């Protein structure tokens, strides 16, 4: 399966960001991608109030993304925000195409490094997988990458690859941590991990996590097979089930677990 990671820099305007999705999907589809992964917060960047932009999965923004996916014959995964009953929003990764339209609600909220995501965002509770062309894909978001148990749960649910959307916070050592964590999670679950982050937008005058770029793809043995720099860019990679089967025979950490 060919997957594209579209590393963009979202603005505070969901309609402008929708055009970025349209352009990224067009470019990815022209390169033969079947799945196009965008970052967390594609709909609207962090650092502003998210409640005014939150929409349900059948709302206009998600519906427009689905129309783009259907037009180009791909599955699109992109970060958005959905309303909740308690007045917060849910940090949702939309997964949409001709035969699928669902969301994964971020389980692990970024209450770290001085940021308190849970003050405005409600946590999800359920891991999510989706099948595309016979391949099971797990879905994860940003801070989730620090929790190996989620990635193992996705592997237990049949995932041979995990699609991770992120808007990583900047700071000393944070890019190194990002790359290390993605590779470690691939080793933990002996699956592909495809991690697409927001491009580095420069200084926006906010302490919110708005991206550092450096999207990365790790194979089931933790090898980096593709990566980007800090700027907006597109990364296209081919992933396969056979490499996962081989890795799990060579490094049977899933079957060797005792706890």
């Amino acid at each position: 399966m060919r997957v594209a990671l579209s590393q963009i820099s979202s603005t505070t305007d969901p309609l402008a960001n929708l055009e970025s999705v349209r352009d990224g999907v067009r470019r990815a589809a022209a390169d033969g991608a079947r799945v196009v992964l965008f970052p967390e917060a594609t709909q609207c960047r962090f650092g502003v109030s998210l409640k005014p932009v939150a929409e349900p999965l059948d709302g206009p923004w998600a519906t427009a993304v689905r129309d783009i996916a259907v037009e180009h014959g791909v599955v699109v995964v992109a970060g958005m925000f959905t309303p909740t009953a308690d007045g917060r929003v849910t940090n949702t990764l939309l997964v949409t195409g001709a035969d699928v339209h669902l969301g994964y609600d971020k389980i692990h909220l970024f209450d770290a490094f001085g940021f308190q995501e849970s003050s405005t965002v409600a946590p999800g509770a359920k891991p999510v997988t989706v099948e595309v062309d016979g391949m099971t894909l797990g879905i994860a978001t940003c801070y989730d990458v620090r929790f190996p148990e989620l990635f193992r749960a996705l592997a237990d649910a049949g995932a041979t690859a995990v699609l991770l959307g992120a808007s990583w916070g900047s700071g000393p050592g944070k890019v190194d941590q990002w790359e290390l964590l993605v590779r470690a999670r691939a080793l933990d679950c002996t699956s592909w991990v495809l991690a697409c982050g927001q491009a580095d937008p420069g200084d926006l005058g906010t302490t919110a996590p708005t991206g550092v770029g450096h999207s990365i793809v790790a194979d089931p043995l933790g090898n980096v097979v593709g990566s980007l720099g800090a700027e907006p860019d597109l990364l296209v990679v081919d992933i396969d089930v056979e490499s996962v089967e081989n890795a799990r025979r060579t490094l049977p950490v899933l079957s060797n677990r005792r706890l």
Side-chain angles (χ1 to χ4, degrees), residues 137-221:
L137 306 174
I139 310 297
T141 305
C142 204
Y143 193 51
D144 281 336
V145 78
R146 292 186 182 272
F147 299 88
E149 58 270 26
L150 174 60
F151 287 73
R152 294 187 183 117
L154 293 170
D156 288 342
T160 54
V162 179
L163 306 180
L164 174 73
S167 184
W168 202 248
S170 61
K174 290 297 295 296
V175 171
D176 289 340
Q177 291 177 32
W178 163 250
E179 295 175 345
L180 174 64
L181 287 162
V182 171
R183 297 180 68 188
R185 294 299 80 82
L187 281 163
D188 289 334
C189 64
T190 46
S191 302
W192 290 84
V193 177
L194 300 94
C196 183
Q198 289 275 348
D200 188 343
D203 185 6
L204 296 173
T206 176
T207 59
T210 53
V212 297
H214 294 276
S215 297
I216 183 173
V217 175
D219 74 10
L221 291 177

Side-chain angles (χ1 to χ4, degrees), residues 13-247:
D13 181 355
L15 291 180
N17 298 331
L18 189 63
E19 291 308 307
S20 294
V21 171
R22 192 183 311 277
D23 180 63
V25 170
R26 177 187 56 78
R27 293 173 58 204
D31 207 355
R34 179 69 176 96
V35 176
V36 189
L37 173 62
F38 289 87
E40 175 187 27
T42 292
Q43 181 192 26
C44 178
R45 71 163 173 83
F46 288 113
V48 296
S49 177
L50 300 172
K51 191 173 180 179
V53 303
E55 296 180 4
L57 292 179
D58 60 356
W61 198 86
T63 300
V65 175
R66 183 176 193 177
D67 290 343
I68 294 168
V70 170
E71 177 186 354
H72 292 278
V74 301
V75 172
V76 172
V77 181
M80 62 177 293
F81 302 97
T82 52
T84 66
D86 69 2
R88 292 181 289 177
V89 302
T90 302
N91 186 340
T92 300
L93 271 184
L94 170 69
V95 184
T96 188
D99 301 316
V100 61
H101 190 77
L102 54 83
Y104 161 68
D105 297 333
K106 183 179 182 182
I107 293 173
H108 301 99
L109 300 182
F110 184 56
D111 291 353
F113 290 101
F115 190 75
Q116 195 77 15
E117 186 177 15
S118 63
S119 64
T120 57
V121 177
K126 294 176 59 177
V128 169
T129 62
V130 61
E131 187 172 305
V132 179
D133 297 345
M135 180 179 288
T136 301
L137 306 174
I139 310 297
T141 305
C142 204
Y143 193 51
D144 281 336
V145 78
R146 292 186 182 272
F147 299 88
E149 58 270 26
L150 174 60
F151 287 73
R152 294 187 183 117
L154 293 170
D156 288 342
T160 54
V162 179
L163 306 180
L164 174 73
S167 184
W168 202 248
S170 61
K174 290 297 295 296
V175 171
D176 289 340
Q177 291 177 32
W178 163 250
E179 295 175 345
L180 174 64
L181 287 162
V182 171
R183 297 180 68 188
R185 294 299 80 82
L187 281 163
D188 289 334
C189 64
T190 46
S191 302
W192 290 84
V193 177
L194 300 94
C196 183
Q198 289 275 348
D200 188 343
D203 185 6
L204 296 173
T206 176
T207 59
T210 53
V212 297
H214 294 276
S215 297
I216 183 173
V217 175
D219 74 10
L221 291 177
N223 301 304
V224 175
V225 299
S227 62
L228 298 176
E231 302 298 319
D233 206 345
L234 185 74
L235 173 63
V236 180
V237 296
D238 292 308
I239 63 174
D240 65 278
V241 173
E242 183 178 2
S243 64
V244 176
E245 294 170 347
N246 291 338

Side-chain angles (χ1 to χ4, degrees), residues 3-17:
V3 181
L5 285 67
S6 184
Q7 180 173 285
I8 64 172
S9 187
S10 296
T11 70
T12 58
D13 181 355
L15 291 180
N17 298 331

